[in-house]
Amino acid sequence: KAGVTQTPRYLIKTRGQQVTLSCSPISGHRSVSWYQQTPGQGLQFLFEYFSETQRNKGNFPGRFSGRQFSNSRSEMNVSTLELGDSALYLCASSLGSGGYQPQHFGDGTRLAIL
Amino acid sequence: AQKVTQAQTEISVVEKEDVTLDCVYETRDTTYYLFWYKQPPSGELVFLIRRNSFDEQNEISGRYSWNFQKSTSSFNFTITASQVVDSAVYFCALSEAGAAGNKLTFGGGTRVLVKP
């Protein structure tokens, strides 16, 4: 069974640009969550999508947005990039959205802002 | 608001020693779920174990065991007879049943280095 797939693996952007990251969940999983990991702030929840609806959102500015498609694949977009957005962005999928089921993570997209 | 604290930032052991990772959590929910994840250098977070707030039975799974104590809000994790492949960063995480969705709150992580 294929795991969570995130593309691209690495990305370099400059300040002010925007970026779109993609996540394909495990087959049959309907929930996709996104996390940001930085050395200073650790792992922080960005948002979760379930059945194409945003279920929960973390404490991030509106520059961070996402969506989910009918096949459960998800994209995350960050506009007007800032140096502080440099991070490892992790996507996780799970069967449901009740907090009980373990989330399974992808390898992440490492984003560097110059 | 929920919070997870892992006081140990780094632990270094020699192979075959046991390693115990501490985790203390805060939550106002009466129903919640606790997890341990492992992050090897490759970056992917690997799910290890889950415990429900209403089940305080401690278990052993292979070389892994965990000690959940609701009275002290602790969820400690032990690796028995550590191996070099256990070297990774270990994260404790909390999910509240009352919160909408699958939001995980992570601790800061404990880096484990197992030397041969």
Side-chain angles (χ1 to χ4, degrees):
Chain A
K1 196 174 188 182
V4 177
T5 303
Q6 290 187 248
T7 56
R9 288 295 310 279
Y10 304 93
L11 207 48
I12 300 175
K13 292 287 186 178
T14 56
R15 284 190 306 173
Q17 287 186 311
Q18 76 165 15
V19 67
T20 299
L21 312 181
S22 180
C23 173
S24 292
I26 292 172
S27 178
H29 285 193
R30 296 170 62 192
S31 167
V32 174
S33 298
W34 289 89
Y35 294 84
Q36 181 197 64
Q37 185 175 25
T38 60
Q41 299 299 316
L43 275 158
Q44 293 185 289
F45 172 80
L46 280 157
F47 32 65
E48 181 208 359
Y49 287 87
F50 180 77
S51 293
E52 300 179 64
T53 301
Q54 187 179 87
R55 291 294 310 275
N56 206 345
K57 190 176 191 304
N59 189 25
F60 279 82
R63 300 185 296 106
F64 291 82
S65 63
R67 59 177 176 168
Q68 187 181 34
F69 302 95
S70 58
N71 61 358
S72 293
R73 190 178 71 84
S74 176
E75 287 182 348
M76 187 190 96
N77 185 75
V78 188
S79 61
T80 319
L81 287 164
E82 300 177 359
L83 292 177
D85 297 333
S86 295
L88 177 65
Y89 290 89
L90 291 162
C91 167
S93 75
S94 66
L95 281 169
S97 182
Y100 171 77
Q101 285 146 346
Q103 294 181 44
H104 300 274
F105 286 79
D107 289 339
T109 293
R110 193 167 294 279
L111 175 63
I113 311 301
L114 303 180
Chain B
Q2 65 269 41
K3 183 179 178 182
V4 177
T5 302
Q6 294 179 251
Q8 307 149 306
T9 55
E10 187 165 325
I11 298 176
S12 182
V13 298
V14 176
E15 207 170 16
K16 296 185 183 177
E17 288 184 341
D18 295 350
V19 180
T20 295
L21 309 179
D22 298 333
C23 173
V24 174
Y25 61 92
E26 295 176 27
T27 177
R28 292 178 183 171
D29 269 27
T30 54
T31 301
Y32 51 89
Y33 311 102
L34 295 162
F35 302 83
W36 276 97
Y37 282 86
K38 171 183 178 181
Q39 187 175 41
S42 59
E44 178 187 0
L45 277 165
V46 179
F47 164 72
L48 296 176
I49 56 173
R50 174 192 58 205
R51 178 55 66 200
N52 309 326
S53 59
F54 45 86
D55 181 2
E56 290 193 65
Q57 181 178 357
N58 295 310
E59 293 185 20
I60 298 173
S61 175
R63 294 188 300 110
Y64 297 155
S65 63
W66 47 98
N67 187 333
F68 174 39
Q69 291 194 338
K70 215 167 175 178
S71 60
T72 56
S73 297
S74 65
F75 183 51
N76 298 336
F77 175 66
T78 297
I79 305 171
T80 302
S82 61
Q83 301 174 2
V84 173
V85 293
D86 295 326
S87 296
V89 181
Y90 290 80
F91 292 94
C92 180
L94 166 71
S95 172
E96 295 176 329
N102 277 341
K103 176 182 176 181
L104 276 173
T105 298
F106 285 91
T110 299
R111 183 177 300 278
V112 173
L113 176 60
V114 181
K115 300 176 183 177

